[in-house]
């Protein structure tokens, strides 16, 4: 099937913005600094309400830099001991697939605009941290700092911070590469419960 040139240009433009997003040099958002009001906690990021081990999980995703913002959808499902997911824009154009295990995250079927080793390495490391933050088998688990402050759960690891806000959104800030990922759970509608 032949792709029309305008559609290909649109797809490349949307994902070209992601490239600019990754190499941006200024800070995206201030990191939450621990204050005296912070309390250590054992709370988890991935509660059963936010991520199901047995069902498909869908999230609205916003990727941000100081100058750009890209929106999309992430679909995630557990398959045995690994999480399999896809990131796409709202039009259904796929950016990449990914597999997260206890040891690593691997990106698959990456679009050409993102198919650069440094982009894939950064995104894979961020997704590994994001989806394994509560996994006791993850390599970084003993180096995490968890605390609650101002109604937020904060988890720090090196130059990365996960912030769970009271509204249920999850933010991952990569301060080394100045990236911010925001995930909001999409409500799944059960077609059997819809009344027409």
């Amino acid at each position: 099937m032949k792709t029309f040139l305008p559609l290909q240009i649109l797809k490349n433009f949307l994902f070209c913005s992601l490239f600019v997003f990754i190499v941006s040099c200024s800070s995206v958002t201030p990191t939450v600094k621990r204050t005296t009001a912070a309390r250590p906690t054992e709370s988890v990021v991935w509660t059963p309400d936010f991520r199901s081990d047995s069902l498909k999980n869908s999230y609205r995703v916003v990727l941000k830099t100081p100058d750009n913002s890209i929106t999309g959808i992430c679909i995630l499902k557990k398959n045995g001991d690994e999480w399999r997911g896809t990131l796409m824009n709202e039009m259904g154009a796929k950016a990449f697939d990914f597999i997260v295990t206890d040891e690593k995250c691997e990106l698959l079927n990456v679009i050409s605009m993102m198919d650069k080793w440094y982009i894939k390495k950064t995104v894979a490391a961020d997704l590994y941290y994001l989806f394994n933050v509560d996994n006791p088998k993850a390599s970084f688990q003993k180096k995490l700092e968890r605390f609650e402050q101002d109604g937020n759960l904060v988890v720090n690891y090196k130059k990365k911070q996960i912030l769970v806000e009271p509204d249920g959104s999850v933010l991952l800030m990569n301060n080394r590469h100045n990236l911010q990922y925001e995930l909001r759970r999409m409500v799944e509608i059960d077609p059997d419960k819809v009344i027409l």
Side-chain angles (χ1 to χ4, degrees):
M1 184 172 150
K2 197 169 190 175
T3 304
F4 291 105
L5 185 59
L7 179 60
Q8 188 63 37
I9 291 170
L10 177 62
K11 285 172 36 177
N12 286 343
F13 173 77
L14 292 174
F15 292 110
C16 183
S17 298
L18 182 61
F19 174 75
V20 172
F21 170 79
I22 289 178
V23 296
S24 175
C25 293
S26 54
S27 182
V28 174
T29 185
T31 303
V32 174
K33 302 289 184 195
R34 187 177 185 137
T35 66
T36 55
R39 299 181 331 255
T41 185
E42 294 299 318
S43 297
V44 295
V45 171
W46 297 106
T47 63
D49 289 338
F50 200 63
R51 182 173 73 178
S52 169
D53 286 355
S54 59
L55 302 173
K56 176 184 79 170
N57 301 279
S58 302
Y59 305 93
R60 289 217 176 278
V61 178
V62 180
L63 305 175
K64 292 182 183 177
T65 68
D67 302 321
N68 292 312
S69 171
I70 301 169
T71 61
I73 297 171
C74 177
I75 299 173
L76 184 70
K77 181 139 175 53
K78 190 159 190 179
N79 186 9
D81 291 337
E82 61 191 24
W83 289 95
R84 292 182 172 260
T86 298
L87 184 68
M88 66 185 90
N89 68 15
E90 286 93 349
M91 305 289 277
K94 185 180 351 178
F96 57 84
D97 297 318
F98 61 92
I99 299 173
V100 181
T101 66
D102 292 344
E103 294 84 32
K104 66 179 182 173
C105 175
E106 182 180 1
L107 301 186
L108 308 165
N109 307 315
V110 179
I111 64 163
S112 60
M113 294 303 294
M114 291 183 60
D115 201 6
K116 314 277 188 286
W117 70 269
Y118 49 91
I119 294 174
K120 293 191 299 186
K121 180 179 177 183
T122 299
V123 172
D126 288 346
L127 293 178
Y128 175 72
Y129 173 55
L130 178 64
F131 292 118
N132 273 317
V133 69
D134 297 327
N135 183 348
K137 296 178 186 175
S139 59
F140 54 78
Q141 200 56 235
K142 293 181 181 178
K143 299 174 185 173
L144 295 180
E145 174 192 33
R146 288 179 191 260
F147 60 92
E148 290 182 10
Q149 180 174 297
D150 301 325
N152 299 313
L153 168 63
V154 181
V155 185
N156 290 327
Y157 172 66
K158 294 185 177 180
K159 292 194 175 246
K160 297 180 184 180
Q161 183 177 80
I162 293 177
L163 176 67
V164 181
E165 297 181 326
D167 68 359
S169 62
V170 173
L171 300 173
L172 166 59
M173 278 94 49
N174 179 330
N175 294 317
R176 172 172 287 158
H177 297 286
N178 301 306
L179 306 172
Q180 179 178 308
Y181 307 74
E182 179 182 348
L183 282 80
R184 290 183 183 274
R185 178 81 189 241
M186 294 172 62
V187 177
E188 303 290 334
I189 298 172
D190 185 351
D192 296 333
K193 295 182 179 178
V194 175
I195 300 172
L196 300 176

